[in-house]
Amino acid sequence: MLLCLLMFSIYWYIIKQVKNRHEREKHMQLERINSLEKDKLESDLRLKSKELAASTMNLIRKNEILITLKDEVSNQKKILGSQYPTKYYNKLISIIDSNITSEDDWTLFQANFDRLHENFFRTLQERYPDLTPTDLRFCAYLRLNLSTKDIANLMNISLKGVEAARYRIRKKIALPSDKSLTAFMIDLK
């Protein structure tokens, strides 16, 4: 009897050790898989962030070129006066203006930005319903930590216009003057 009990105990101990080893191995495999998935997601997020930044910088460059072109056409009109027909001048300026940060560019940017920044626009609209679509666009640029000059080029407004927009948004969200609006947008969850 004692021998049977001893054999059973040894058998039970071995089975328990094998099960424990299998559980540890399974747990380690799950941890490795989770770690790999997390690394892949972080890598994808970094890639999307870089793509969004590159897209934004391309929009900035495009707008800078169009603004420079517009200024050059205006200067030529001043120099040439009546030799440069107003009808052609107005048509050219109209084409340039319509291509400075078009709505198609903004729609694509907004979709990518919202995916990358976890429903940033929806969160802003829910918390601060007084914000206009232009304010939301401005907030996205602030979250990207763009300079005042870059924001001015993207929105086709002056540097003073950017400062006025900052002030208007700060008022709408009731942000104290000692807090940074850019930091607030970056930290918004």
Side-chain angles (χ1 to χ4, degrees), residues 78-138:
K78 284 179 190 173
I79 292 169
L80 296 174
S82 62
Q83 291 177 341
Y84 190 44
T86 304
K87 150 177 136 175
Y88 298 124
Y89 168 77
N90 289 338
K91 183 175 181 181
L92 192 55
I93 293 298
S94 174
I95 291 170
I96 292 171
D97 284 342
S98 69
N99 282 288
I100 294 178
T101 311
S102 69
E103 283 305 311
D104 293 338
D105 292 338
W106 173 247
T107 303
L108 179 64
F109 174 83
Q110 185 178 14
N112 290 332
F113 188 88
D114 222 23
R115 248 184 273 131
L116 185 64
H117 291 280
E118 301 171 5
N119 298 317
F120 175 76
F121 294 110
R122 186 180 321 148
T123 303
L124 264 179
Q125 286 177 324
E126 287 172 358
R127 291 186 191 171
Y128 310 103
D130 292 342
L131 293 176
T132 66
T134 304
D135 293 338
L136 294 173
R137 181 182 291 193
F138 190 86

Side-chain angles (χ1 to χ4, degrees), residues 3-4 38 40-41 43 62 66 72 146 161 169 177-178:
L3 186 61
C4 280
K38 182 180 176 187
K40 184 181 182 320
L41 288 173
S43 175
K62 178 190 91 165
L66 288 173
E72 183 60 31
L146 295 178
I169 291 171
S177 60
D178 62 332

Side-chain angles (χ1 to χ4, degrees), residues 14-71:
I14 290 172
I15 295 294
K16 188 175 179 182
Q17 290 294 59
V18 169
K19 282 183 180 179
N20 284 342
R21 187 171 6 146
H22 283 295
E23 286 296 319
R24 280 193 305 270
E25 287 174 2
K26 187 178 177 182
H27 183 68
M28 287 173 48
Q29 284 177 342
L30 285 174
E31 283 182 1
R32 270 188 252 132
I33 289 170
N34 286 341
S35 176
L36 289 173
E37 286 177 354
K38 182 180 176 187
D39 290 345
K40 184 181 182 320
L41 288 173
E42 287 176 356
S43 175
D44 288 348
L45 184 62
R46 279 193 300 275
L47 177 66
K48 294 287 184 193
S49 186
K50 286 179 184 177
E51 288 174 357
L52 182 63
S55 172
T56 303
M57 294 314 293
N58 285 336
L59 283 174
I60 291 170
R61 278 190 221 104
K62 178 190 91 165
N63 285 350
E64 286 175 347
I65 290 168
L66 288 173
I67 289 169
T68 303
L69 185 61
K70 182 178 176 180
D71 290 343

